Amino acid sequence: MFHSEPITGRATVKLLSDAHARLVESAIHSAQAAGELPPFDIPPVEIRPPKRSDQGDYAAAVALQLAKPAGINPFDIANIITRHLPPADFVGAVEVVKPGFINFRLDETWLKTQVEQIIAEGDSLFQLNLGAGKRAQVEFVSANPTGPLHVGRSRGAMVGDTMARLLEAAGYAVEREYYFNNAGKQMVDLGNSLRIRYLEALGQPVEIPEQDFYQGEYLKDFARDLVAEKGDSLVGADWKPFKEYAERRMFDVIRATLKRVNIEHDIFFNENSLYESGAVWHTLDNLRERGHVYQAIRPENVANDQPDEDEAGKGEAVWFRSTAFGDEKDRVLVKSDGSPTYTLPDIAYHVDKINRGFDLLINVLGADHGAQHRVVKYGIQALGLDASKIHVILIQLVRMIRDGKEVRMSTRRGDYDTLDDLIDQTSADVVRYMLLARSPDSHLNFDLDLAVKQSNENPVYYIQNAHVRCAGIFREAEARGLTDNGADVNLLGADELRFIRKAMELGEVIALSAQTFEPHRIAFYAGELASLFHPIYDNVRALHGDVPPDVAKARLRFYRAAQVVFKRVLTLMGMSAPERM
RNA sequence: GCGCCCAUAGCUCAGUGGAUAGAGCAUCGGUCUUCGGAACCGGCGGUCGGGGGUUCGAAUCCCUCUGGGCGCGCCA
């Protein structure tokens, strides 16, 4: 039996779409109870702000959906629902329109009270409890320490960190994790590359290899420092001490770079620890016990009358029968030489994550890893664990555009555009925004020329300027000895309320982003908010013209609230909220 | 060949099966010179890649074709 609870505004209503939906559900139930609507299962009621403002602040299309199951025309259904709507202080006018839309208008008096509410919530504005008591982990960046972060990786960094911030706002306890491998051939190459640079720095004749050599300038810097520290004591050493030194320095560089864009990971997880703990082989044993593994020269389910050329000389490998879970082919877990492929420790890693008790695991990966993560999920399923906790945000690749042409990147060749370079040329805020403000599914053309421009073509400044303007008003107000203390928000006008309406959608943006794993939404919302703000700033003067003192005070109060909203939104994007520009 | 992603204004891109598809830039014209103009207002600009289908309703879901990106290792 549906129990309708009184719905009140004030401090409690943070998700207005949801609140309206509950009103409608309640109305349908009571209409059914009264016999005005026939019994039927109520579909999920979805309510959201319509595109056009003359269609209300929140609109419901349920009546259209219900026409068939109810056997009544949608316009009548809408009217019946409207009659049974329970009272709520945030609801103003309710209108039923043509085919059967129910358009809600927010109550203006209630809306005005939200100005004070926004100011009271401050930095925790629209802090939700959707994830209350739940732990989420976001794994992102996860670049091996072979070089500085380049721009391609950076997109995942911004998306991952913003996702983490939004999950925090939704109420989750969030951990940020960086997974890395320091044991592979890449790292041997890195050690050898530094060894050569070291010898070079000592003035010894060296030959720069054509292959397997990292050419970046940073290794020359490391080499100089290493000479200063150790002199020529490492001349006879192999790659190992160089690899260790390079790794440590590289992580310092990477961490410092991430710090510049307000990203700090809680945990750096070394793949190697999975070997040290035995987790890798334990995972394999578990898979074997469950019968998902077999030993063979080639996968068992391919036609074997024609052996592959490259199978020649290879012994038996250990295969994971991933086809049983929908994979297109089985995967090798252990090579014939006895060493594991990347897949096995990756599965072990995710087992480890799940065992750490997270309710939600988010992986931010580049599109080039799209196939790999599926194999991991199959592995998790094979082990009888809940793979549905794992959600992958697959990021399409970034193309750097300069002078209208694509700029190719390669970490190994050394002619990449590093994230540090990019920040130097623009700013941390510009980089964060431009890499965030795109759907992950969409390829991102990063226009270097535009990013460098500090003009109105650049949306970042437009948004931040809204915050700057609010701060400016209060600097001016202070200089004139004015305050917003004791303001009467009832004196606010329609322009200001239009902004407050939009501000009240922030909760939905946070909730939706967290539920759909689409952090880019906040970036577009920020732009919309700013484009509502600037005209108001121009038209609604607080300190200028013949504005009555009490009205001026109320407007100051409004700008106080606007500043809170912009600061919150900018912070959610990991950007600064400057007071001046 | 197979799998995943993409195709929306001149450009870069939003768009949770709903009402007349939006924004920024570019372009053309206007406001205005300040509570910091990195601003405001208006105009121009679209057969949502083509074709079928599902639905009361499709840019959105399904099929297909075309054109792009990525992936299809006993690499990581």
Side-chain angles (χ1 to χ4, degrees):
Chain A
M1 178 68 198
F2 185 84
H3 183 70
S4 99
E5 295 167 24
I7 295 168
T8 54
R10 288 295 144 91
T12 52
V13 179
K14 291 189 173 178
L15 297 172
L16 283 167
S17 292
D18 196 51
H20 282 95
R22 276 155 57 208
L23 293 181
V24 170
E25 282 166 6
S26 168
I28 295 171
H29 278 288
S30 71
Q32 285 180 325
E36 292 183 49
L37 286 176
F40 50 78
D41 290 335
I42 300 178
V45 177
E46 288 190 9
I47 294 193
R48 56 170 170 271
K51 291 173 194 164
R52 299 165 53 89
S53 61
D54 60 304
Q55 292 165 351
D57 297 324
Y58 290 84
V62 258
L64 302 174
Q65 290 172 259
L66 292 177
K68 188 178 274 184
I72 304 175
N73 82 66
F75 190 78
D76 291 344
I77 296 175
N79 277 304
I80 292 167
I81 291 173
T82 302
R83 269 204 307 278
H84 284 89
L85 283 171
D89 57 1
F90 55 85
V91 174
V94 180
E95 193 185 12
V96 174
V97 186
K98 305 182 278 187
F101 292 101
I102 305 172
N103 295 341
F104 294 86
R105 195 69 71 173
L106 289 173
D107 181 77
E108 294 210 345
T109 305
W110 179 83
L111 212 43
K112 286 169 180 170
T113 66
Q114 296 307 300
V115 172
E116 292 299 339
Q117 186 61 35
I118 288 168
I119 295 167
E121 289 188 29
D123 289 344
S124 57
L125 181 65
F126 285 107
Q127 178 64 43
L128 308 178
N129 59 7
L130 296 173
K134 293 183 189 166
R135 293 172 61 221
Q137 187 221 59
V138 185
E139 183 218 320
F140 61 111
V141 185
S142 296
N144 289 338
T146 56
L149 291 176
H150 59 84
V151 179
R153 281 278 186 183
S154 309
R155 184 178 184 190
M158 309 318 165
V159 169
D161 185 64
T162 308
M163 189 72 249
R165 287 165 186 266
L166 288 164
L167 287 171
E168 283 165 346
Y172 286 87
V174 179
E175 282 182 28
R176 294 162 172 80
E177 185 151 311
Y178 187 123
Y179 181 62
F180 71 98
N181 171 307
N182 63 350
K185 178 180 182 308
Q186 287 181 343
M187 295 303 290
V188 176
D189 291 345
L190 183 72
N192 271 321
S193 302
L194 178 60
R195 190 176 59 84
I196 290 165
R197 290 298 189 200
Y198 170 79
L199 296 175
E200 185 182 53
L202 285 170
Q204 298 201 10
V206 293
E207 203 174 310
I208 303 297
E210 299 253 321
Q211 291 195 330
D212 303 329
F213 183 78
Y214 288 91
Q215 300 188 21
E217 287 295 312
Y218 54 93
L219 283 185
K220 293 183 187 171
D221 296 338
F222 293 178
R224 266 192 297 276
D225 294 343
L226 196 52
V227 168
E229 272 180 47
K230 306 262 183 178
D232 61 1
S233 64
L234 292 172
V235 166
D238 65 3
W239 56 272
K240 283 178 193 157
F242 295 100
K243 175 243 162 194
E244 272 164 35
Y245 182 82
E247 177 184 340
R248 183 164 52 78
R249 291 292 304 274
M250 218 54 258
F251 264 129
D252 288 344
V253 170
I254 289 170
R255 255 194 289 256
T257 305
L258 290 172
K259 188 79 198 291
R260 293 181 76 188
V261 283
N262 290 324
I263 295 176
E264 286 185 76
H265 287 84
D266 301 298
I267 294 175
F268 282 73
F269 193 103
N270 188 343
E271 179 188 329
N272 203 40
S273 68
L274 295 166
Y275 288 95
E276 288 162 359
S277 69
V280 171
W281 302 114
H282 186 62
T283 298
L284 182 65
D285 290 342
N286 280 347
L287 283 168
R288 187 178 282 124
E289 279 166 25
R290 289 167 175 265
H292 299 297
V293 155
Y294 59 91
Q295 202 138 0
I297 291 177
R298 68 181 72 94
E300 62 186 8
N301 46 9
V302 299
N304 58 0
D305 43 338
Q306 288 195 350
D308 270 328
E309 321 75 47
D310 52 281
E311 272 176 12
K314 281 180 183 160
E316 291 192 327
V318 178
W319 297 78
F320 169 37
R321 198 178 289 106
S322 55
T323 46
F325 299 90
D327 205 353
E328 45 194 36
K329 61 173 98 167
D330 289 345
R331 309 286 170 173
V332 171
L333 295 178
V334 184
K335 297 180 244 178
S336 55
D337 68 3
S339 62
T341 61
Y342 179 78
T343 304
L344 182 57
D346 212 12
I347 294 172
Y349 175 47
H350 283 83
V351 171
D352 183 272
K353 284 190 191 184
I354 286 177
N355 288 342
R356 277 187 265 163
F358 291 107
D359 299 283
L360 176 63
L361 293 165
I362 294 181
N363 271 9
V364 182
L365 298 175
D368 49 344
H369 291 73
Q372 176 65 23
H373 87 261
R374 248 170 291 163
V375 180
V376 171
K377 274 198 179 180
Y378 298 142
I380 294 299
Q381 283 176 259
L383 290 165
L385 298 170
D386 185 2
S388 70
K389 284 181 181 173
I390 302 173
H391 185 89
V392 174
I393 301 178
L394 213 56
I395 307 271
Q396 297 301 312
L397 301 186
V398 177
R399 253 193 304 266
M400 301 302 293
I401 307 290
R402 180 177 279 147
D403 299 329
K405 288 186 301 185
E406 179 172 2
V407 184
R408 282 278 168 193
M409 291 170 293
S410 161
T411 306
R412 207 170 277 227
R413 281 211 327 278
D415 60 349
Y416 47 79
D417 287 283
T418 65
L419 179 52
D420 265 324
D421 289 343
L422 197 59
I423 298 169
D424 290 342
Q425 288 177 52
T426 59
S427 74
D429 289 334
V430 166
V431 172
R432 272 207 76 128
Y433 189 86
M434 290 189 73
L435 289 175
L436 175 67
R438 198 121 326 171
S439 160
D441 283 340
S442 191
H443 294 265
L444 192 155
N445 290 326
F446 194 106
D447 187 335
L448 286 160
D449 305 308
L450 173 62
V452 170
K453 268 186 219 168
Q454 303 204 1
S455 74
N456 58 354
E457 290 171 54
N458 196 325
V460 178
Y461 298 104
Y462 186 75
I463 295 164
Q464 287 184 318
N465 191 33
H467 186 270
V468 168
R469 286 180 138 183
C470 291
I473 290 176
F474 285 100
R475 276 197 301 276
E476 179 65 20
E478 196 176 343
R480 300 188 191 190
L482 299 172
T483 87
D484 59 344
N485 288 338
D488 178 5
V489 289
N490 285 308
L491 298 172
L492 292 174
D495 286 330
E496 299 93 298
L497 291 188
R498 207 163 45 243
F499 179 87
I500 298 298
R501 272 188 194 91
K502 189 72 185 175
M504 294 307 292
E505 290 175 26
L506 176 56
E508 333 269 3
V509 174
I510 292 170
L512 195 59
S513 304
Q515 282 156 6
T516 60
F517 313 110
E518 294 177 329
H520 70 284
R521 290 173 181 279
I522 188 79
F524 288 95
Y525 173 76
E528 290 167 17
L529 205 55
S531 72
L532 265 174
F533 175 83
H534 287 298
I536 296 172
Y537 176 90
D538 269 18
N539 293 326
V540 184
R541 304 297 175 112
L543 306 175
H544 202 253
D546 50 356
V547 180
D550 53 345
V551 173
K553 204 178 258 282
R555 289 177 176 178
L556 276 176
R557 200 67 182 154
F558 163 75
Y559 286 113
R560 176 87 66 192
Q563 188 174 2
V564 167
V565 175
F566 280 111
K567 186 176 179 204
R568 175 64 158 157
V569 169
L570 286 165
T571 305
L572 283 170
M573 293 190 288
M575 295 164 62
S576 65
E579 307 241 321
R580 305 167 188 271
M581 286 201 292

